[in-house]
Structures are given as C-alpha cells and as structure tokens.
Amino acid sequence: MFATVRILSDNGPVRVELARWQDRMVVVKRLRAHSPFLIARMQREAEVLRKLEHEHIVPLLGYDGDALIYAYVPGVNLGAALENGPLPLGRSLRI
C-alpha cells in the first residue's frame, strides 16, 4: 500500500513516515501500539480533520484504522525553523 521513503519521527506511540502512495508523496502517521485508547484517539483525530479545510492545515487524505494519511507539504517544520531562535517579525507575520 505505502512505500516508505524515510522515517520522519519514531518516538512515543506513533511513527511518522514519508511515503509514496499511488502517484504522490504522503505522510503516514501510524500507531506503534494498538491500545483501545490510542485507536479511539486516532479515530477522533481523523473525524475532526475530515471536517477542517484551511490553507494552514495539512489536509487529511485518508484513515486506515491504525494510520492517518496526510498530504505531504515540503519545507521546514516550525520546530526546525525555530532552532536558531525566534523568527524575524516579517516572516512571523507571513506565517
């Protein structure tokens, strides 16, 4: 189904992978532990994200029981952007 390209994060109860799916790159957030609590939490996350549509929210493409499939948005994540301190005011305002 998914061809993993690389692991983006592998800590806590989820593993986040950059993957190829059909003809596009996606991000797959997959449960590592399958407790009823975590499965219900992921299901709620999928239900909420299906209802949201905003230019600053990465779209959810699918839900597969133990995995959420998001569109891949290339670039730097906020954590990496803030590693060297606060962003300049102009860049902060654009975000």
Side-chain angles (χ1 to χ4, degrees), residues 1-3 19-26 28 61-62 69-70:
M1 182 177 230
F2 303 104
R20 184 168 301 285
W21 178 52
Q22 298 173 352
D23 62 344
R24 67 191 303 176
M25 298 301 288
V26 297
V28 180
L61 302 175
I69 302 102
Y70 293 91

Side-chain angles (χ1 to χ4, degrees), residues 34-45:
H34 290 84
S35 75
F37 170 77
L38 292 173
I39 291 170
R41 184 173 162 184
M42 184 168 273
Q43 185 174 21
R44 282 192 307 274
E45 184 175 343

Side-chain angles (χ1 to χ4, degrees), residues 17-95:
E17 307 167 355
L18 176 62
R20 184 168 301 285
W21 178 52
Q22 298 173 352
D23 62 344
R24 67 191 303 176
M25 298 301 288
V26 297
V27 173
V28 180
K29 181 178 176 182
R30 188 181 312 275
L31 281 177
R32 292 167 36 120
H34 290 84
S35 75
F37 170 77
L38 292 173
I39 291 170
R41 184 173 162 184
M42 184 168 273
Q43 185 174 21
R44 282 192 307 274
E45 184 175 343
E47 290 168 6
V48 168
L49 288 171
R50 280 189 195 121
K51 297 174 186 176
L52 296 176
E53 187 174 325
H54 189 274
E55 65 181 307
H56 296 292
I57 298 175
V58 177
L60 180 69
L61 302 175
Y63 171 63
D64 188 24
D66 69 342
L68 297 172
I69 302 102
Y70 293 91
Y72 172 63
V73 180
V76 177
N77 68 39
L78 184 58
L82 295 173
E83 280 181 357
N84 296 319
L87 298 175
L89 180 60
R91 185 163 182 212
S92 296
L93 293 173
R94 284 192 306 274
I95 294 174

